[in-house]
Amino acid sequence: MRKITDNIRWRDLDADMSADGRLVFSSNREDNPRVDLNRTSEDFNIHLIERDGREPKKIVASRDRELKPRFSPNGRDIAIIRSGTRHRLLVAGADGKGERVLAEADELYDFSWSPDGRRIALARRDGEKSGILLVSADNSEPPLQLKNVNQALRIVSARWSPDGGKIAYIVHPLNGESRQLWVRHLDSGREQRISPENLQIQQPPDWSADGKRLLYAALADYRFRYDESTHKKVYEGAMHIYLSDLEGNHRQLTSREALHKSPVFSPDGRRIAFLYAPELDSRQLSLRTMDRDGGNENEWFGSVTRNSNLRWVQ
């Protein structure tokens, strides 16, 4: 059996919103969709929706895949990962023009703009080495290798703190040990493990507005087994939401043995939005909110796909 078409349905991914309300996202949507019996792949390109809500406009396109578009803090530029034989980090104007390459590697996992918009922190793998690279958004300064780890580890996420002084990153050991959340203090070079032992950190964390706390989801007591009677994998344990500060204090905010993922702070820091499902392998999730202490939980929307991400805007 082989797939003969990829355009039965559109898929819109990796949405980001500027401060003034423009929306940018990656999508495989096409201007003139048709069945192509010889087609075995699909293109993901970058689309923009203006504040007035007009139809999306394709602004960056190639025969490779353009993924994870993110506005610069001032909304004038968009950074993009182009996935081909090698991965490239691109920056273009918000209209898609003036495209320039800032970095390339075998794999680019994640990136984050600095609060002043001058630099980008990039989690990458090149050959057997993985690390964090700092690049200048206008190519005016040479790249700085901030961290480089050995072939037994991967750094798969890099997120700049709102105060500009720290970068949070996730270390993924290849030997099956737990995925860990760390913070690097840029002024001193000090590195600090944030996540408790025996947790498997999943998605990139969300910083509090003051840069003193980190919100993240992690698997706890996770295991799976194969059920011979149903011929399916059975997943056990839970994915919980945690809040940690830089003083070594941790709080688990959820308690049900269920899936809680993609937590983000509200703009005022008093509430948290997240995705929920009763089972770890659920394909459909619901959007929920709760107070920062874990109380007053509410469900707002009950049909969210598993690979969705959240951003709380004012």
Side-chain angles (χ1 to χ4, degrees):
M1 180 182 295
R2 70 181 183 93
K3 184 166 55 177
I4 62 174
T5 181
D6 292 287
N7 54 16
I8 295 174
R9 293 182 179 178
W10 287 335
R11 286 187 290 156
D12 300 334
L13 308 172
D14 302 329
D16 188 39
M17 182 173 285
S18 65
D20 62 2
R22 290 167 294 152
L23 188 69
V24 68
F25 60 96
S26 175
S27 178
N28 65 344
R29 61 178 61 206
E30 300 176 0
D31 297 330
N32 300 297
R34 66 184 187 280
V35 173
D36 184 348
L37 297 181
N38 296 315
R39 183 173 182 174
T40 59
S41 64
E42 58 189 346
D43 296 330
F44 277 84
N45 303 132
I46 304 304
H47 294 72
L48 177 73
I49 299 177
E50 296 286 358
R51 293 183 296 271
D52 58 12
R54 285 177 292 176
E55 285 295 309
K57 177 183 178 182
K58 186 184 295 185
I59 59 170
V60 178
S62 74
R63 295 311 303 269
D64 294 322
R65 292 187 172 194
E66 283 82 31
L67 303 167
K68 297 186 177 181
R70 293 178 190 152
F71 281 105
S72 61
N74 62 14
R76 296 175 185 169
D77 293 311
I78 299 172
I80 303 155
I81 291 178
R82 175 169 288 162
S83 174
T85 305
R86 281 171 65 81
H87 291 189
R88 292 178 173 85
L89 178 68
L90 313 175
V91 168
D95 58 1
K97 298 178 180 179
E99 180 183 303
R100 56 192 182 272
V101 178
L102 301 187
E104 67 174 65
D106 290 332
E107 290 186 90
L108 301 180
Y109 299 111
D110 187 31
F111 67 89
S112 176
W113 286 91
S114 63
D116 61 9
R118 295 175 56 194
R119 294 182 293 172
I120 297 175
L122 179 64
R124 68 171 186 166
R125 179 190 67 80
D126 213 17
E128 295 299 326
K129 294 292 186 178
S130 179
I132 301 173
L133 189 71
L134 299 188
V135 296
S136 170
D138 60 4
N139 269 334
S140 62
E141 300 176 14
L144 173 63
Q145 185 70 49
L146 188 65
K147 185 173 179 61
N148 212 25
V149 297
N150 62 40
Q151 60 185 3
L153 302 172
R154 294 283 186 269
I155 293 181
V156 296
S157 175
R159 293 297 167 95
W160 221 301
S161 64
D163 60 13
K166 301 172 285 291
I167 292 176
Y169 62 93
I170 295 175
V171 175
H172 176 79
L174 301 183
N175 61 3
E177 294 181 0
S178 61
R179 287 166 55 109
Q180 308 151 18
L181 178 60
W182 288 72
V183 164
R184 184 181 179 102
H185 298 256
L186 298 179
D187 55 352
S188 65
R190 180 170 67 94
E191 295 187 329
Q192 175 185 5
R193 178 167 176 168
I194 299 298
S195 58
E197 297 285 344
N198 303 320
L199 293 182
Q200 293 278 1
I201 311 304
Q202 296 304 296
Q203 303 90 26
D206 192 40
W207 282 96
S208 61
D210 59 8
K212 295 181 179 180
R213 292 177 296 277
L214 285 153
L215 184 67
Y216 55 94
L219 288 167
D221 300 320
Y222 172 71
R223 57 202 174 277
F224 68 86
R225 57 183 173 82
Y226 189 76
D227 189 329
E228 294 289 351
S229 63
T230 61
H231 303 290
K232 292 182 179 179
K233 287 183 178 179
V234 177
Y235 298 90
E236 300 175 339
M239 188 186 297
H240 289 297
I241 295 173
Y242 297 84
L243 183 63
S244 297
D245 62 27
L246 302 182
E247 307 302 319
N249 302 305
H250 314 286
R251 183 169 184 178
Q252 180 178 317
L253 301 181
T254 53
S255 58
R256 291 188 299 277
E257 295 294 299
L259 175 71
H260 309 80
K261 62 174 293 189
S262 304
V264 294
F265 285 108
S266 63
D268 62 8
R270 297 178 180 178
R271 300 276 289 164
I272 292 168
F274 64 99
L275 299 178
Y276 170 84
E279 305 290 340
L280 286 179
D281 59 349
S282 299
R283 307 306 301 174
Q284 182 169 297
L285 291 72
S286 63
L287 171 63
R288 299 191 176 195
T289 59
M290 62 184 175
D291 292 339
R292 197 176 69 185
D293 62 3
N296 194 25
E297 184 174 321
N298 293 288
E299 179 174 322
W300 297 95
F301 184 67
S303 183
V304 182
T305 60
R306 188 179 179 90
N307 62 351
S308 298
N309 55 57
L310 302 179
R311 181 176 176 183
W312 198 319
V313 297
Q314 294 181 342

